[in-house]
Amino acid sequence: GENVEQHPSTLSVQEGDSAVIKCTYSDSASNYFPWYKQELGKGPQLIIDIRSNVGEKKDQRIAVTLNKTAKHFSLHITETQPEDSAVYFCAASRGDTNAGKSTFGDGTTLTVKP
Amino acid sequence: GAVVSQHPSRVICKSGTSVKIECRSLDFQATTMFWYRQFPKQSLMLMATSNEGSKATYEQGVEKDKFLINHASLTLSTLTVTSAHPEDSSFYICSVEQQNTGELFFGEGSRLTVL
């Protein structure tokens, strides 16, 4: 089955700096890679996703890059703000599988210091 | 606004009692919903796939008689933790997948504490 590894487990940055979280996956058939933000005591929320036919996607301060050959994808947050502090999860799933059955990374706790 | 509503957000119960958690899809009909369990500082663990009008599909190691799932309508799935024990204390989350986009929407989660 799929195996997703996420690094780092914790990340602390100063407000205004950039943050990068990386994930690797094992199943070459995986083609959907979402990123979720989970605030304390709440359910995860999709912040950005990318499919395997695209190498990069950007939405304001958030971007995701995908390297299918190396089987890794990364989340980039620029101009970080204290409200970006949360746990971020990457995930991977195949086209013939529901996104609900995605394999999730172990999460990265991001702390943005004001 | 919220796409998925989960209730209750917090519940405390005595050992041996049963607890029901509801997951409602507010914006679209969902033939499939998903239930997860999350321990502190850990990732989401898929427990089961809830299928409207049929039996749920449980992941390996999840006791189907312990965690009863009912998906009676296209907008509601319920998870019942039967004869709860302290080790069942956890954060339970549901999700709904939008068919057109494949986007996953999560509920706000339910914190279960079994005394």
Side-chain angles (χ1 to χ4, degrees):
Chain A
E2 175 68 277
N3 182 46
V4 175
E5 294 189 1
Q6 183 172 344
H7 298 281
S9 56
T10 61
L11 179 60
S12 181
V13 300
Q14 286 294 135
E15 182 177 2
D17 287 351
S18 296
V20 180
I21 303 170
K22 299 181 179 181
C23 286
T24 61
Y25 62 99
S26 61
D27 187 351
S28 57
S30 288
N31 62 359
Y32 178 60
F33 308 94
W35 285 91
Y36 300 96
K37 176 183 181 182
Q38 185 176 27
E39 297 179 348
L40 191 62
K42 296 186 177 182
Q45 183 176 15
L46 177 71
I47 54 172
I48 196 167
D49 58 11
I50 192 168
R51 298 186 186 273
S52 59
N53 58 344
V54 176
E56 183 175 359
K57 184 176 179 181
K58 190 174 182 180
D59 182 4
Q60 298 182 356
R61 297 187 296 108
I62 296 173
V64 56
T65 58
L66 171 65
N67 183 325
K68 286 191 296 183
T69 304
K71 296 199 194 75
H72 67 69
F73 56 111
S74 301
L75 176 70
H76 304 253
I77 305 174
T78 59
E79 300 173 30
T80 54
Q81 301 167 3
E83 50 266 38
D84 293 329
S85 297
V87 180
Y88 291 82
F89 292 98
C90 64
S93 65
R94 300 163 58 117
D96 58 356
T97 304
N98 297 100
K101 292 187 175 182
S102 296
T103 301
F104 292 88
D106 287 338
T108 296
T109 301
L110 173 64
T111 302
V112 180
K113 298 177 181 178
Chain B
V3 177
V4 179
S5 172
Q6 193 171 336
H7 179 81
S9 58
R10 290 177 181 273
V11 56
I12 300 173
C13 70
K14 293 182 178 180
S15 187
T17 60
S18 294
V19 174
K20 180 185 286 187
I21 301 169
E22 293 187 348
C23 180
R24 293 183 183 273
S25 178
L26 302 178
D27 280 12
F28 49 86
Q29 295 181 332
T31 55
T32 305
M33 295 186 184
F34 305 91
W35 287 97
Y36 309 84
R37 185 172 180 176
Q38 187 178 34
F39 291 105
K41 298 187 184 299
Q42 293 191 21
S43 189
L44 287 80
M45 182 191 79
L46 179 65
M47 298 174 64
T49 301
S50 174
N51 305 299
E52 188 269 334
S54 65
K55 292 182 180 180
T57 307
Y58 290 83
E59 295 300 301
Q60 191 172 9
V62 178
E63 299 177 60
K64 61 180 180 180
D65 295 330
K66 174 74 171 177
F67 300 100
L68 299 179
I69 292 172
N70 184 277
H71 195 149
S73 77
L74 287 170
T75 58
L76 174 64
S77 175
T78 61
L79 168 68
T80 301
V81 183
T82 62
S83 187
H85 291 284
E87 57 265 31
D88 298 324
S89 298
S90 190
F91 194 52
Y92 293 89
I93 308 171
C94 68
S95 75
V96 176
E97 182 175 343
Q98 188 168 42
Q99 297 280 29
N100 294 340
T101 63
E103 185 175 343
L104 206 58
F105 295 91
F106 288 89
E108 288 293 298
S110 299
R111 172 76 58 194
L112 171 64
T113 302
V114 184
L115 302 177

Coordinates of all heavy atoms in Angstrom, one line a residue, chain B residues 3-11 18-26 33-36 50 68-73 75-81 91-96 105-112:
Chain B
V3 N -19.6 22.8 5.5 CA -20.1 21.9 4.5 C -20.5 20.6 5.2 O -21.4 19.9 4.8 CB -19.0 21.6 3.5 CG1 -19.5 20.5 2.5 CG2 -18.6 22.9 2.7
V4 N -19.8 20.3 6.3 CA -20.1 19.1 7.1 C -20.3 19.5 8.5 O -19.5 20.2 9.1 CB -18.9 18.0 7.0 CG1 -19.2 16.8 7.8 CG2 -18.6 17.7 5.5
S5 N -21.4 19.0 9.1 CA -21.7 19.3 10.5 C -21.5 18.0 11.3 O -22.1 17.0 11.0 CB -23.1 19.8 10.6 OG -23.5 19.9 11.9
Q6 N -20.8 18.1 12.4 CA -20.6 16.9 13.2 C -21.1 17.3 14.7 O -20.8 18.4 15.2 CB -19.1 16.6 13.2 CG -18.8 15.2 13.8 CD -17.4 14.8 13.6 OE1 -16.7 15.2 12.7 NE2 -16.9 13.9 14.5
H7 N -21.8 16.3 15.3 CA -22.4 16.6 16.6 C -22.4 15.4 17.4 O -22.7 14.3 16.9 CB -23.8 17.1 16.4 CG -24.5 17.4 17.6 ND1 -24.3 18.6 18.4 CD2 -25.4 16.7 18.3 CE1 -25.1 18.6 19.4 NE2 -25.8 17.4 19.5
P8 N -22.1 15.4 18.7 CA -21.7 16.6 19.5 C -20.2 16.9 19.3 O -19.5 16.0 18.8 CB -22.0 16.2 20.9 CG -21.7 14.7 20.9 CD -22.2 14.2 19.6
S9 N -19.8 18.1 19.6 CA -18.4 18.4 19.5 C -17.6 17.8 20.7 O -16.4 17.5 20.6 CB -18.2 19.9 19.5 OG -18.8 20.5 20.6
R10 N -18.3 17.7 21.8 CA -17.6 17.1 23.0 C -18.6 16.2 23.7 O -19.8 16.6 23.8 CB -17.1 18.2 24.0 CG -16.0 19.0 23.5 CD -15.6 20.1 24.5 NE -14.5 20.9 24.1 CZ -13.2 20.6 24.3 NH1 -12.9 19.5 25.0 NH2 -12.3 21.4 23.9
V11 N -18.2 15.1 24.2 CA -19.1 14.3 25.0 C -18.3 13.5 26.1 O -17.2 13.0 25.8 CB -19.9 13.3 24.1 CG1 -18.9 12.4 23.3 CG2 -20.8 12.4 24.9
S18 N -23.1 3.8 25.8 CA -22.9 3.9 24.4 C -23.1 5.4 24.0 O -23.8 6.1 24.6 CB -23.9 3.1 23.6 OG -23.6 1.7 23.8
V19 N -22.3 5.8 23.0 CA -22.3 7.2 22.6 C -22.5 7.3 21.1 O -21.8 6.5 20.3 CB -21.0 7.9 22.9 CG1 -20.9 9.3 22.3 CG2 -20.8 7.9 24.4
K20 N -23.4 8.1 20.6 CA -23.7 8.3 19.2 C -23.2 9.6 18.7 O -23.4 10.7 19.3 CB -25.2 8.2 18.9 CG -25.5 8.3 17.4 CD -27.0 8.3 17.1 CE -27.6 7.0 17.3 NZ -29.0 6.9 16.9
I21 N -22.4 9.6 17.6 CA -21.9 10.8 17.0 C -22.5 10.9 15.6 O -22.5 10.0 14.8 CB -20.4 10.8 16.9 CG1 -19.8 10.6 18.2 CG2 -19.9 12.0 16.2 CD1 -18.3 10.3 18.2
E22 N -23.0 12.1 15.3 CA -23.7 12.3 14.0 C -22.8 13.1 13.0 O -22.1 14.1 13.4 CB -25.0 13.1 14.2 CG -26.1 12.3 14.9 CD -27.4 13.1 14.9 OE1 -27.4 14.2 14.5 OE2 -28.4 12.4 15.2
C23 N -22.9 12.8 11.7 CA -22.1 13.5 10.7 C -23.1 13.9 9.6 O -23.7 12.9 9.0 CB -21.0 12.7 10.2 SG -20.0 13.5 8.9
R24 N -23.3 15.1 9.3 CA -24.3 15.6 8.3 C -23.6 16.3 7.2 O -22.8 17.2 7.4 CB -25.3 16.5 8.9 CG -26.2 15.8 9.9 CD -27.3 16.8 10.4 NE -28.2 16.1 11.4 CZ -29.2 15.3 11.1 NH1 -29.6 15.2 9.9 NH2 -29.9 14.8 12.1
S25 N -23.9 15.9 6.0 CA -23.4 16.7 4.8 C -24.4 17.7 4.5 O -25.6 17.4 4.2 CB -23.3 15.7 3.6 OG -22.8 16.4 2.5
L26 N -24.0 19.0 4.6 CA -25.0 20.1 4.5 C -25.2 20.6 3.0 O -26.2 21.1 2.7 CB -24.5 21.3 5.3 CG -24.4 20.9 6.8 CD1 -23.9 22.2 7.6 CD2 -25.7 20.4 7.4
M33 N -19.4 8.4 3.2 CA -18.7 9.2 4.2 C -17.7 8.4 4.9 O -17.7 7.1 4.8 CB -19.8 9.7 5.2 CG -20.9 10.6 4.7 SD -21.9 11.3 6.0 CE -23.1 12.2 5.1
F34 N -16.8 9.1 5.5 CA -15.6 8.4 6.2 C -15.5 8.8 7.6 O -15.8 9.9 8.0 CB -14.3 8.8 5.4 CG -14.4 8.5 3.9 CD1 -14.8 9.5 3.1 CD2 -14.0 7.2 3.4 CE1 -14.9 9.2 1.7 CE2 -14.1 7.0 2.1 CZ -14.5 8.0 1.2
W35 N -15.1 7.8 8.4 CA -14.9 8.0 9.9 C -13.5 7.8 10.2 O -12.9 6.8 9.8 CB -15.8 7.1 10.7 CG -17.3 7.6 10.7 CD1 -18.2 7.1 9.9 CD2 -17.9 8.6 11.5 NE1 -19.4 7.7 10.1 CE2 -19.2 8.7 11.1 CE3 -17.4 9.5 12.5 CZ2 -20.1 9.6 11.7 CZ3 -18.3 10.3 13.1 CH2 -19.6 10.4 12.7
Y36 N -12.9 8.7 11.0 CA -11.5 8.6 11.4 C -11.4 8.8 12.9 O -12.3 9.3 13.6 CB -10.7 9.8 10.8 CG -10.8 9.9 9.3 CD1 -11.8 10.7 8.8 CD2 -9.9 9.4 8.4 CE1 -12.0 10.8 7.4 CE2 -10.0 9.5 7.1 CZ -11.1 10.3 6.6 OH -11.2 10.4 5.2
S50 N -18.5 4.7 5.4 CA -19.9 4.6 5.6 C -20.6 4.6 4.2 O -20.4 5.6 3.5 CB -20.3 5.7 6.5 OG -21.7 5.8 6.6
L68 N -20.4 1.0 15.7 CA -21.5 0.8 14.7 C -21.7 2.0 13.9 O -21.8 3.1 14.4 CB -22.8 0.5 15.5 CG -22.7 -0.7 16.4 CD1 -24.0 -0.9 17.2 CD2 -22.4 -2.0 15.6
I69 N -21.8 1.8 12.6 CA -22.0 2.9 11.6 C -23.3 2.7 10.9 O -23.5 1.6 10.4 CB -20.8 3.0 10.7 CG1 -19.6 3.4 11.4 CG2 -21.1 3.9 9.5 CD1 -18.3 3.4 10.6
N70 N -24.1 3.7 10.8 CA -25.3 3.7 10.1 C -25.4 4.9 9.2 O -25.2 6.0 9.6 CB -26.5 3.7 11.1 CG -27.8 3.6 10.4 OD1 -28.4 4.6 9.9 ND2 -28.4 2.4 10.3
H71 N -25.7 4.6 7.9 CA -25.8 5.7 6.9 C -27.1 5.6 6.3 O -27.3 5.1 5.2 CB -24.6 5.4 5.9 CG -24.4 6.6 5.0 ND1 -23.1 6.9 4.5 CD2 -25.1 7.6 4.5 CE1 -23.1 7.9 3.7 NE2 -24.4 8.4 3.7
A72 N -28.1 6.1 7.0 CA -29.5 5.9 6.6 C -30.0 6.8 5.5 O -31.0 6.5 4.9 CB -30.4 6.0 7.9
S73 N -29.3 7.9 5.3 CA -29.8 8.8 4.3 C -28.6 9.4 3.6 O -27.4 9.2 4.0 CB -30.6 10.0 4.9 OG -29.7 10.9 5.5
T75 N -27.5 12.2 3.5 CA -26.9 13.4 4.2 C -26.5 13.1 5.6 O -25.9 14.0 6.3 CB -27.8 14.6 4.2 OG1 -29.0 14.3 4.9 CG2 -28.1 15.1 2.8
L76 N -26.7 11.9 6.1 CA -26.5 11.6 7.5 C -25.8 10.2 7.7 O -26.3 9.2 7.3 CB -27.8 11.7 8.3 CG -27.7 11.3 9.8 CD1 -26.8 12.2 10.6 CD2 -29.1 11.2 10.4
S77 N -24.7 10.2 8.5 CA -24.1 9.0 8.9 C -23.9 9.1 10.4 O -23.5 10.2 10.9 CB -22.7 8.8 8.2 OG -22.1 7.7 8.7
T78 N -24.1 8.0 11.1 CA -23.8 8.1 12.6 C -22.8 7.0 13.0 O -22.8 5.9 12.4 CB -25.1 7.8 13.3 OG1 -25.7 6.5 13.0 CG2 -26.2 8.9 13.0
L79 N -22.0 7.3 13.9 CA -21.0 6.4 14.5 C -21.4 6.2 16.0 O -21.5 7.2 16.7 CB -19.6 7.0 14.4 CG -18.5 6.3 15.3 CD1 -18.3 4.9 14.7 CD2 -17.3 7.1 15.3
T80 N -21.7 5.0 16.4 CA -22.0 4.7 17.8 C -20.9 3.9 18.4 O -20.6 2.8 17.9 CB -23.4 3.9 17.9 OG1 -24.4 4.7 17.3 CG2 -23.7 3.6 19.3
V81 N -20.3 4.4 19.4 CA -19.3 3.7 20.2 C -20.0 2.9 21.3 O -20.6 3.5 22.2 CB -18.3 4.7 20.8 CG1 -17.2 3.9 21.5 CG2 -17.7 5.6 19.7
F91 N -10.4 11.6 19.6 CA -11.0 12.6 18.7 C -11.5 11.9 17.5 O -10.7 11.3 16.8 CB -10.0 13.7 18.4 CG -10.6 15.0 17.8 CD1 -11.6 15.6 18.4 CD2 -10.1 15.5 16.6 CE1 -12.1 16.8 17.9 CE2 -10.6 16.7 16.1 CZ -11.6 17.4 16.8
Y92 N -12.8 11.9 17.3 CA -13.4 11.2 16.1 C -13.9 12.3 15.1 O -14.5 13.3 15.4 CB -14.6 10.4 16.5 CG -14.2 9.2 17.4 CD1 -14.2 9.4 18.8 CD2 -13.9 8.0 16.9 CE1 -13.8 8.3 19.6 CE2 -13.5 6.9 17.7 CZ -13.5 7.1 19.1 OH -13.1 6.0 19.9
I93 N -13.5 12.0 13.8 CA -13.7 13.0 12.8 C -14.4 12.3 11.6 O -14.0 11.1 11.3 CB -12.4 13.6 12.3 CG1 -11.6 14.2 13.4 CG2 -12.7 14.7 11.2 CD1 -10.2 14.7 13.0
C94 N -15.4 12.9 11.0 CA -16.0 12.4 9.8 C -15.6 13.2 8.6 O -15.1 14.4 8.7 CB -17.5 12.3 9.9 SG -18.3 13.9 9.9
S95 N -15.7 12.7 7.4 CA -15.5 13.5 6.2 C -16.4 13.0 5.1 O -17.0 11.9 5.1 CB -14.0 13.3 5.7 OG -13.8 12.1 5.1
V96 N -16.6 14.0 4.1 CA -17.5 13.7 3.0 C -16.7 14.1 1.7 O -16.0 15.2 1.7 CB -18.8 14.6 3.1 CG1 -19.6 14.4 1.8 CG2 -19.6 14.2 4.3
F105 N -14.2 17.1 2.6 CA -14.6 18.1 3.6 C -14.7 17.3 4.9 O -15.4 16.3 5.0 CB -15.9 18.7 3.2 CG -15.9 19.6 2.0 CD1 -16.1 19.0 0.7 CD2 -15.5 20.9 2.0 CE1 -16.1 19.8 -0.4 CE2 -15.5 21.7 0.9 CZ -15.7 21.1 -0.4
F106 N -14.1 17.9 5.9 CA -14.1 17.3 7.2 C -15.1 17.9 8.2 O -15.4 19.1 8.1 CB -12.7 17.3 7.9 CG -11.7 16.4 7.2 CD1 -11.0 16.9 6.2 CD2 -11.5 15.1 7.7 CE1 -10.0 16.0 5.6 CE2 -10.6 14.3 7.1 CZ -9.8 14.7 6.1
G107 N -15.6 17.1 9.1 CA -16.4 17.7 10.2 C -15.5 18.3 11.2 O -14.3 18.2 11.1
E108 N -16.1 19.0 12.2 CA -15.3 19.7 13.2 C -14.7 18.7 14.2 O -13.9 19.2 15.1 CB -16.2 20.8 13.9 CG -16.4 22.0 13.0 CD -15.2 22.8 12.7 OE1 -14.6 23.3 13.7 OE2 -14.8 22.9 11.5
G109 N -15.1 17.5 14.2 CA -14.6 16.5 15.1 C -15.4 16.4 16.4 O -16.1 17.4 16.8
S110 N -15.3 15.3 17.0 CA -16.0 15.0 18.3 C -15.1 14.5 19.3 O -14.4 13.4 19.1 CB -17.2 14.0 18.1 OG -18.1 14.5 17.2
R111 N -14.9 15.2 20.4 CA -14.0 14.7 21.5 C -14.7 13.9 22.4 O -15.6 14.3 23.1 CB -13.4 16.0 22.2 CG -12.6 15.6 23.4 CD -11.2 15.1 23.1 NE -10.4 16.0 22.3 CZ -9.3 15.7 21.6 NH1 -8.9 14.5 21.6 NH2 -8.7 16.6 20.9
L112 N -14.4 12.6 22.5 CA -15.0 11.6 23.4 C -14.1 11.4 24.6 O -13.0 11.0 24.4 CB -15.4 10.3 22.7 CG -15.8 9.2 23.6 CD1 -17.2 9.5 24.2 CD2 -16.0 7.9 22.7

